[in-house]
Amino acid sequence: MKFRFGLIIGLAIGYVLGARAGYERYQQIQSTWRSLRRSEPAQRFGSEVRHLADRTGSRLEEKATRGVDQLSDQLRSNSGDDASSEMDRMR
């Protein structure tokens, strides 16, 4: 994690210094950035991040669905005033 953060900071600093050095330096930095993005480690990292995001999204969806189902069951089991008091208690 520290390496990734350092890499991002380094790229940002390089970008700013490149912009100050002029358009040619900027083009050089852009070219390096493009080749870095196309590299195998960068592609693997992007794939891992997408996979992790998909898994996390699925887990969150499952938990939310489970929570809504539990709440619906509780509200159905309570009648009239009991349901509103349950809602007040949950807030």
Side-chain angles (χ1 to χ4, degrees), residues 61-74 90:
E61 182 181 10
E62 289 171 11
K63 286 183 178 186
T65 302
R66 221 176 307 129
V68 168
D69 290 344
Q70 288 175 353
L71 179 60
S72 296
D73 291 343
Q74 286 178 356
M90 292 181 75

Side-chain angles (χ1 to χ4, degrees), residues 1 4 6 9-11 30 43 49 56 72 78 81 86 91:
M1 187 72 172
R4 292 178 191 147
I9 295 297
L11 289 172
Q30 286 294 93
Q43 294 296 319
V49 168
T56 303
S72 296
N78 295 331
D81 294 330
E86 181 68 21
R91 290 182 199 165

Side-chain angles (χ1 to χ4, degrees), residues 6 10-14 17 27 40 48-49 53 56-57 61 67 74 77 80:
L11 289 172
I13 290 171
L17 293 176
Q27 289 294 353
E40 181 63 30
E48 289 174 15
V49 168
T56 303
E61 182 181 10
Q74 286 178 356
S77 68

